[in-house]
């Protein structure tokens, strides 16, 4: 009709007018998921004409991509940022952190790297502590080594042979014992200074060899000058008298002259030292073929295998008057004791336990004296090489004897060596070779 305004309906505009699309930048479906999408509200029905000639009319709008219907793309605002997630065990790892889908191939997790650092630091601290403990123990033990006397050179001294040779001596000095201890250990009050025990220990490519030298061996005492400056010519006597006449240097020279073996190291232990060392290791296990009972030494031991304490051990190695062969039988017991003490000292329970290692080491170092040229390393080396004594390796015995009761005017009964066999024994020692069987007197 003329003059009538054409009727308009929402959604049914002029066909010539482009269809209005959704508001730019707004996705009605995305508002449910993305809080940053803001709903602009309902669109007014009184829209301005799209005709550009109409005054105040807005510019034509480009058709928007429909977000409705199946397969339609979901619009996303430009420059929209992914929301940040707070850190925590459930947060995904950033690329390169060693975890999550963005991690580089083969990368280790942070937690694993942290544990590697902690483990490495712990190992280094423990290693430094171990080194410090070892160094401290070494200096502590070295400071406890006691030196007595010296090994001196002299004209005609035997040349250096193969291997290493020790002269181990048991002194009968009572000077460091109280009256009560003298009674307890049945050592009497004799003020003389002699050697109750003499052992030659050899080790090297052969051995170890432990050779007892009878204290009453009839040998030549070399010429010497005593402490008062008086000169003495060489003379024949029992070998143990060299110790009281000229001290350690004369004793060593006497042994070297009699055997032809050059002594490299010297060690001496007294009565009290034997008691303290044995008690510190918890006793020595020995097996006796027959009972040992002696009023002079105080020994009262049954036959069979048993563990001896310090007092019992001292009584055993001093017993001679009640034994069938006196000093010869006593040397057999002394050798058993040395072997037993070596085994007791080198037990893992002693060496690996600091509560036993330090008391045992301290007692041993307090109880022995060595020559001036001997240090802690030499003592450790000797202990290591002698560990196999009595275990079927090496040789244990006494110097070949021709006469156990050789009578000498003014000296009484002495021990006379078999010179030919003794020369073979000590010749093998000098050459660091195995001692031929049958030469040494077996005392076991």
């Amino acid at each position: 009709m003329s003059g009538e305004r054409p009727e308009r309906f929402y959604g049914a505009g002029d066909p010539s007018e482009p269809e209005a699309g959704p508001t730019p930048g707004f996705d009605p479906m995305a508002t449910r998921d993305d809080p940053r999408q803001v709903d602009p509200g309902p669109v007014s029905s009184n829209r301005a004409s799209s005709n550009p000639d109409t005054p105040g009319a807005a510019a034509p709008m480009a058709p928007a991509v429909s977000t409705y219907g199946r397969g339609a793309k979901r619009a996303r605002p430009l420059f929209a940022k992914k929301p940040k997630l707070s850190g925590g065990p459930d947060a995904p790892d950033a690329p390169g952190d060693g975890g999550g889908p963005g991690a580089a191939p083969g990368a280790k997790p942070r937690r694993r790297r942290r544990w590697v650092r902690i483990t490495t630091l712990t190992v280094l601290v423990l290693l430094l502590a171990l080194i410090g403990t070892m160094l401290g123990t070494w200096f502590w033990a070295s400071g406890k080594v006691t030196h007595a006397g010296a090994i001196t050179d002299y004209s005609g001294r035997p040349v250096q042979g193969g291997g290493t040779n020790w002269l181990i001596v048991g002194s009968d000095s009572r000077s460091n014992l109280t009256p009560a201890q003298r009674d307890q250990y049945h050592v009497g009050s004799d003020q003389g200074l002699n050697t109750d025990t003499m052992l030659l220990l050899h080790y090297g490519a052969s051995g170890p060899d432990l050779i007892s030298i009878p204290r009453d061996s009839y040998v030549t005492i070399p010429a010497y000058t005593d402490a008062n400056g008086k000169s003495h010519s060489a003379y024949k006597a029992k070998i143990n008298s060299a110790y009281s006449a000229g001290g350690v240097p004369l004793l060593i020279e006497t042994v070297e002259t009699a055997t032809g073996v050059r002594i490299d190291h010297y060690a001496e232990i007294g009565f009290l030292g034997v008691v303290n060392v044995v008690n510190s290791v918890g006793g020595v296990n020995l097996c006796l073929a027959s009972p040992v009972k002696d009023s002079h030494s105080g020994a009262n031991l049954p036959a069979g295998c048993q563990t001896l304490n310090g007092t019992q051990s001292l009584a055993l190695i001093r017993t001679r008057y009640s034994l069938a062969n006196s000093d010869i039988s006593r040397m057999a017991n002394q050798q058993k004791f040395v072997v037993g003490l070596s085994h007791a000292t080198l037990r893992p329970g002693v060496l690996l336990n600091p509560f036993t290692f330090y008391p045992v080491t301290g007692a041993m170092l307090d109880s022995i004296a060595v020559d001036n040229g001997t240090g802690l390393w030499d003592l450790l080396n000797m202990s290591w090489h002698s560990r196999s004594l009595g275990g079927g390796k090496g040789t244990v015995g006494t110097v070949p004897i021709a006469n156990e009761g050789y009578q000498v005017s003014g000296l009484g009964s002495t021990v006379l060596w078999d010179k030919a066999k003794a020369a073979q024994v000590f010749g093998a020692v000098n050459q660091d070779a195995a001692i031929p069987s049958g030469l040494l007197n077996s005392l076991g």
Side-chain angles (χ1 to χ4, degrees):
M1 289 181 63
S2 173
E4 292 184 359
R5 187 178 179 176
E7 184 177 4
R8 298 177 66 93
F9 298 94
Y10 287 98
D14 192 339
S16 63
E17 183 179 348
E19 182 181 0
T23 303
F26 172 70
D27 185 353
M29 296 298 294
T31 56
R32 294 179 300 176
D33 300 321
D34 193 341
R36 289 170 295 185
Q37 294 284 350
V38 180
D39 189 351
V43 180
S44 173
S45 61
N46 297 320
R47 299 173 54 184
S49 171
S50 60
N51 189 346
D53 296 331
T54 305
M61 299 177 62
V65 178
S66 175
T67 59
Y68 302 93
R70 183 176 301 175
K73 286 189 177 180
R74 181 176 176 180
R76 183 169 181 172
L78 191 64
F79 307 118
K81 294 183 179 180
K82 182 179 180 181
K84 295 183 178 179
L85 300 178
S86 59
D90 296 330
D93 294 328
D97 277 356
K108 295 182 179 179
R110 260 186 204 171
R111 194 170 295 176
R112 180 178 300 176
R113 292 200 302 267
R114 183 169 62 250
W115 277 111
V116 169
R117 290 195 297 268
I118 293 175
T119 303
T120 303
L121 181 61
T122 302
V123 170
L124 288 176
V125 170
L126 292 176
L127 183 60
L128 290 175
L130 177 61
I131 294 174
T133 301
M134 293 175 66
L135 288 175
T137 300
W138 180 268
F139 286 114
W140 165 79
S142 296
K144 295 182 75 66
V145 177
T146 303
H147 295 91
I151 300 177
T152 58
D153 282 326
Y154 54 88
S155 177
R157 188 180 182 195
V159 298
Q160 183 69 55
T164 302
N165 301 310
W166 283 76
L167 180 63
I168 302 172
V169 169
S171 169
D172 63 359
S173 174
R174 283 92 168 164
S175 60
N176 61 338
L177 298 178
T178 65
Q181 289 174 327
R182 293 175 185 175
D183 292 338
Q184 178 185 359
Y185 304 141
H186 295 82
V187 298
S189 56
D190 188 359
Q191 296 303 314
L193 190 60
N194 292 300
T195 52
D196 264 7
T197 306
M198 272 184 285
L199 297 164
L200 178 63
L201 173 66
H202 168 83
Y203 55 81
S206 66
D209 302 313
L210 186 64
I211 305 170
S212 290
I213 299 175
R215 52 173 281 170
D216 292 336
S217 297
Y218 188 57
V219 297
T220 298
I221 309 296
Y224 69 97
T225 301
D226 61 26
N228 299 321
K230 183 180 179 181
S231 297
H232 299 265
S233 301
Y235 62 98
K236 301 279 285 188
K238 294 180 180 180
I239 196 170
N240 69 333
S241 65
Y243 187 87
S244 58
V248 177
L250 183 58
L251 175 64
I252 293 175
E253 184 177 350
T254 301
V255 172
E256 289 182 336
T257 300
T259 63
V261 173
R262 188 184 183 100
I263 301 300
D264 302 300
H265 302 285
Y266 171 85
E268 177 183 318
I269 186 169
F271 290 152
L272 190 58
V274 172
V275 176
N276 291 339
V277 169
V278 173
N279 288 338
S280 68
V281 298
V284 173
N285 296 321
L286 292 180
C287 295
L288 301 176
S290 58
V292 177
K293 188 171 183 179
D294 189 275
S295 60
H296 292 84
S297 68
N300 187 11
L301 304 172
C305 297
Q306 55 203 290
T307 300
L308 306 184
N309 60 29
T311 302
Q312 292 171 323
S313 298
L314 179 61
L316 175 67
I317 62 177
R318 293 189 62 246
T319 296
R320 61 172 177 156
Y321 291 105
S322 62
L323 300 179
N325 293 326
S326 187
D327 272 345
I328 305 301
S329 297
R330 178 169 72 163
M331 285 187 292
N333 290 332
Q334 290 172 347
Q335 292 170 352
K336 291 178 181 178
F337 169 76
V338 171
V339 173
L341 180 61
S342 177
H343 291 171
T345 304
L346 297 176
R347 284 179 298 142
V350 172
L351 298 178
L352 302 180
N353 184 352
F355 296 101
T356 56
F357 172 79
Y358 287 101
V360 169
T361 303
M364 293 189 69
L365 295 177
D366 286 338
S367 301
I368 64 174
V370 297
D371 66 277
N372 292 333
T374 296
L376 181 60
W377 178 255
D378 299 307
L379 288 169
L380 293 174
N381 201 26
M382 182 261 285
S383 300
W384 175 257
H385 281 89
S386 63
R387 73 193 186 280
S388 58
L389 281 170
K393 183 179 180 181
T395 308
V396 178
T398 189
V399 175
I401 297 173
N403 190 342
E404 297 178 13
Y406 183 69
Q407 295 295 321
V408 177
S409 177
L411 294 178
S413 179
T414 65
V415 176
L416 191 64
W417 295 1
D418 186 322
K419 291 185 178 181
K421 291 183 179 180
Q424 294 181 63
V425 168
F426 296 123
V429 169
N430 269 330
Q431 296 172 16
D432 195 19
I435 298 175
S437 60
L439 291 180
L440 287 178
N441 285 14
S442 177
L443 303 177

